Structure formats: C-alpha cells, structure tokens
C-alpha cells in the first residue's frame, strides 16, 4: 500500500502546477483547466488525510468539491462561449471592458 505522504506530495505538486498555470496562462480555457487541477489537488489531499485518519469526512468534502467543480465548468464554458461569440477571442489581455 502506498503511504499517504506520497499522496500529499502529489497533491502539493498538482497545486503548484495549477497555480503556475493560473499565473502564466492568458487563455481562459487554460485558466479553467488550471483551476480544475487545483481543485483535484485538494481532493487528493482530502482523501489522503481521510485514509490516514480513517474517517469519511474527507470523502464527503470531495463529493461537494466535485459538484462545485462541475457547476464551475458548466458556467465557465458558457461564459467562454458567449465571450467568443462577441469578441472572436478568448485571450484575457483583450478582455478589458469589465475593468472600467
């Protein structure tokens, strides 16, 4: 059986990769994917600590996080489609209308 420390290390690595993706990427779709990666990193950490403690509370949180992630993806993709229809581009640098 794999020790839970490996799962926590994997979770930390995925979180860092997601943060780098959010900080560097300019495409909205890539930002959504990076956000999903960070949410999955949190899910892995919850399950790892749940495995260590022998409790099911972490799995309940994972269920709620997956539900929120699915809703976020649906709403985010809908917004991306609407922005693309309006602007023909999904680059975050060109979307400055909401700043003022």
């Amino acid at each position: 059986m794999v020790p839970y420390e490996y799962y926590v290390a994997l979770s930390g690595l995925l979180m860092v990769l997601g943060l780098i993706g959010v900080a560097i990427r300019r495409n909205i779709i890539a930002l959504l994917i990076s956000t999903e990666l960070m949410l999955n990193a949190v899910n892995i950490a919850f399950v790892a600590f749940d495995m260590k403690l022998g409790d099911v509370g972490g799995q309940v949180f994972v269920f709620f996080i997956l539900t929120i992630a699915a809703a976020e993806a649906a709403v985010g993709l809908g917004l991306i489609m609407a922005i693309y229809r309006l602007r023909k581009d999904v680059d975050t640098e060109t979307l400055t209308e909401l700043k003022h």
Side-chain angles (χ1 to χ4, degrees), residues 9-42:
L10 175 66
S11 172
L13 178 68
L14 289 176
M15 181 62 79
V16 168
L17 288 174
L19 284 172
I20 290 171
V22 167
I24 292 176
R25 300 292 179 164
R26 296 176 198 261
N27 191 344
I28 296 176
I29 296 172
L31 291 174
L32 273 177
I33 291 171
S34 297
T35 305
E36 294 291 331
L37 189 65
M38 289 190 296
L39 287 172
N40 285 326
V42 172

Side-chain angles (χ1 to χ4, degrees), residues 29-72:
I29 296 172
L31 291 174
L32 273 177
I33 291 171
S34 297
T35 305
E36 294 291 331
L37 189 65
M38 289 190 296
L39 287 172
N40 285 326
V42 172
N43 287 339
I44 291 172
F46 272 136
V47 171
F49 289 125
D50 188 40
M51 182 176 67
K52 173 69 175 168
L53 298 174
D55 191 18
V56 295
Q59 294 177 14
V60 172
F61 279 117
V62 167
F63 176 73
F64 287 121
I65 290 172
L66 286 175
T67 306
I68 291 169
E72 176 249 337

Side-chain angles (χ1 to χ4, degrees), residues 92-100:
T92 56
E93 295 295 320
T94 60
L95 301 174
T96 59
E97 287 183 358
L98 295 177
K99 287 185 178 179
H100 301 290

Side-chain angles (χ1 to χ4, degrees), residues 79-95:
L79 287 171
I80 289 171
M81 287 175 55
I83 290 170
Y84 183 76
R85 284 183 191 159
L86 182 68
R87 299 292 219 131
K88 302 295 184 211
D89 189 21
V90 289
D91 188 22
T92 56
E93 295 295 320
T94 60
L95 301 174

